[in-house]
Amino acid sequence: MSDENTEYDPHSGVETTGHSWDGIKELNNPLPRWWLIVWYATIFWAVIYMILMPAWPALPGLGGTNTPGLLGKSDRAEVTKEVSAMRTERGVASQKLMSASLVEIQNDLNLQQFAMAMGESAFGDNCATCHGSGGRGAKGYPMLADDVWLWDGTLDGIEQTIRHGIRHDSDDLTRMSAMPAFGRDNLLTSTQIDDLVQHVLSFSDRQSNADSAARGSVLFASQCVSCHGADAKGSRLVGAPNLTDAEWLFGGEPADIRATVTNARNAHMPAWQGRLDDPTVKALAVYVHSLGGGE
């Protein structure tokens, strides 16, 4: 605005900028001194930072990287250094883990803490997809936080399962069993399967048809006792579940049990030996054992 056309606000006596919105005129007040000081300071700091630290990315002649800065600081180099130190420290602890038995690991507080941390991390990366966070399981995937074990809940038994898996064909030491598909393979008729389901329901004192269950008891004795036992409490030697409790891996409703008898439930767990190193397998065994159901 030229001096000839300078306008002053009649109320404050401050020069206006000439801008007006809905009759409200903008005053040409100077910026606060403190604000200007902060603004100039940030500009100064930014220039110093760009000189000292990595800043400008991919300038010509830099080979596609950023300016290194006079201090030569690199977060990538720092992370690499920290990772290397962590691996060295972990390597020492892993060697201790390898040379110690599972019982010795449990009795050594420092080694146990290392195994727990390592095992929890490995569990989250490799096992939680099926068994859930904290080993809570899901339908068709065993809960690891209770005291119900299809195979072996000891430290050595858990390690065996992790190493060699369950029904993992390419591992000669895998845990192996096979429930027949009584319906799909026409081993039993549909009516016989219904009778067998009623008999299985009676083991846990659930509502069942007495006459049908009586007929099913004959079928159970001839078809199922060899694995589940005469008392239906199962066998860990072949991974046969206890049919007298309230724990049902694939569901305990009559329709679920019928589907199991008809089509069988021969679930697969991969063998982790070769996929995970030995210290990690041991650490996983310690962690799973600690979830609440270890023996």
Side-chain angles (χ1 to χ4, degrees):
M1 185 180 293
S2 64
D3 293 339
E4 292 80 4
N5 297 322
T6 299
E7 181 184 5
Y8 292 88
D9 176 55
H11 300 287
S12 63
V14 177
E15 179 185 354
T16 71
T17 63
H19 302 152
S20 177
W21 293 272
D22 296 331
I24 301 174
K25 295 183 178 181
E26 180 183 13
L27 301 182
N28 192 18
N29 282 313
L31 294 171
R33 185 176 297 276
W34 66 265
W35 190 92
L36 287 172
I37 293 173
V38 171
W39 185 43
Y40 290 132
T42 56
I43 294 174
F44 177 76
W45 169 253
V47 172
I48 297 300
Y49 186 90
M50 285 190 294
I51 294 173
L52 298 179
M53 304 292 288
W56 290 94
L59 291 176
L62 291 178
T65 185
N66 56 275
T67 54
L70 295 180
L71 295 181
K73 184 175 177 58
S74 169
D75 288 340
R76 185 178 301 234
E78 290 294 326
V79 170
T80 301
K81 181 179 178 181
E82 291 175 5
V83 168
S84 177
M86 181 192 69
R87 286 177 175 170
T88 300
E89 183 178 350
R90 178 180 173 180
V92 174
S94 295
Q95 287 301 317
K96 292 182 179 178
L97 203 62
M98 280 299 301
S99 61
S101 68
L102 290 169
V103 175
E104 289 172 337
I105 293 171
Q106 277 205 316
N107 293 333
D108 186 322
L109 182 59
N110 291 331
L111 202 53
Q112 184 186 43
Q113 288 178 338
F114 173 76
M116 287 287 291
M118 186 177 180
E120 182 177 13
S121 176
F123 187 91
D125 291 340
N126 301 283
C127 314
T129 304
C130 292
H131 291 286
S133 178
R136 292 298 168 186
K139 189 173 183 178
Y141 301 99
M143 176 185 287
L144 304 177
D146 59 14
D147 59 353
V148 178
W149 293 91
L150 289 175
W151 297 92
D152 190 339
T154 64
L155 276 167
D156 289 332
I158 294 170
E159 183 185 8
Q160 164 79 8
T161 302
I162 294 171
R163 282 190 184 281
H164 303 291
I166 299 171
R167 304 180 187 93
H168 192 74
D169 293 338
S170 62
D171 192 312
D172 293 337
L173 297 178
T174 191
R175 296 193 185 278
M176 181 62 73
S177 66
M179 175 181 175
F182 290 99
R184 187 183 64 210
D185 295 340
N186 298 315
L187 300 175
L188 297 176
T189 67
S190 179
T191 301
Q192 288 176 317
I193 291 175
D194 288 335
D195 292 340
L196 192 55
V197 169
Q198 293 301 310
H199 183 58
V200 170
L201 288 172
S202 70
F203 287 135
S204 51
D205 297 324
R206 299 165 68 188
Q207 184 177 357
S208 60
N209 182 290
D211 293 336
S212 181
R215 294 191 297 270
S217 66
V218 178
L219 294 169
F220 188 87
S222 62
Q223 303 290 336
C224 313
V225 163
S226 59
C227 291
H228 291 282
D231 58 1
K233 290 187 179 297
S235 170
R236 291 186 179 180
L237 293 177
V238 292
N242 184 350
L243 303 178
T244 67
D245 58 18
E247 304 294 334
W248 295 90
L249 179 57
F250 292 95
E253 295 302 315
D256 297 320
I257 299 173
R258 195 181 201 288
T260 298
V261 175
T262 300
N263 299 306
R265 306 283 195 179
N266 295 313
H268 166 257
M269 172 184 165
W272 290 100
Q273 181 168 268
R275 303 187 186 194
L276 301 176
D277 57 24
D278 287 343
T280 303
V281 170
K282 270 192 172 183
L284 266 174
V286 172
Y287 176 71
V288 170
H289 187 268
S290 74
L291 289 177
E295 298 174 342

